[in-house]
Amino acid sequence: MVVEGVPAAREALLRRMYEVFSTDDRDDFVPRCLAPDVDWPNVLDGVRLHGREAVRGYWARQFAAGHPLVRLEGLRLDTDGSAVVASVRQGMRDAEGDHWADGTVEHVYRFDGDGLVSRMDVRAAS
């Protein structure tokens, strides 16, 4: 995985976040990665979510519909240095196995003063 200029603490937090997302540990990890008032995209409905419990509920809904997968492929600072951009391959697990998208998307993370994710955005890979 390529890492370009990302502070070590943010790199470690994001790596762990992607490691636990597809496991049953994700709910327990939320307080250690997301700010209490986190601003998060609900891609399914095209709205923004606010707060840890809203994100937990969104993730629970995603897992009730299927088993989403995310694979972290790279981290870099955004062009202005104020955010970390994660290159991510998305997929889905079903009875036949794991199915990965051909391309990647970018998850853009901003952090609060405590080093927790305060906002996440999804955008097309550049």
Side-chain angles (χ1 to χ4, degrees):
M1 181 180 78
V2 177
V3 178
E4 300 174 18
V6 176
R10 291 183 180 178
E11 177 187 348
L13 178 83
L14 292 173
R15 279 181 185 265
R16 183 69 182 138
M17 204 165 89
Y18 283 99
E19 287 171 4
V20 302
F21 175 75
S22 295
T23 73
D24 291 336
D25 294 335
R26 75 185 155 276
D27 285 343
D28 294 335
F29 191 65
V30 165
R32 296 191 305 266
C33 67
L34 302 181
D37 59 346
V38 64
D39 182 342
W40 196 269
N42 173 333
V43 178
L44 298 174
D45 299 324
V47 298
R48 303 290 306 179
L49 303 171
H50 300 280
R52 291 174 178 158
E53 292 309 311
V55 174
R56 275 192 181 115
Y58 175 60
W59 288 349
R61 193 171 129 213
Q62 284 182 301
F63 279 88
H67 192 98
L69 301 169
V70 290
R71 183 170 61 211
L72 181 60
E73 297 197 340
L75 292 170
R76 64 179 169 78
L77 288 179
D78 208 1
T79 53
D80 67 1
S82 67
V84 175
V85 178
S87 297
V88 178
R89 188 164 311 271
Q90 298 173 308
M92 186 66 72
R93 179 173 297 144
D94 63 19
E96 287 81 43
D98 296 349
H99 307 278
W100 293 99
D102 290 334
T104 60
V105 297
E106 292 181 341
H107 292 169
V108 182
Y109 293 96
R110 298 191 184 286
F111 297 85
D112 68 7
D114 294 325
L116 300 174
V117 173
S118 61
R119 181 182 175 97
M120 194 272 264
D121 293 286
V122 179
R123 67 185 186 200
S126 56

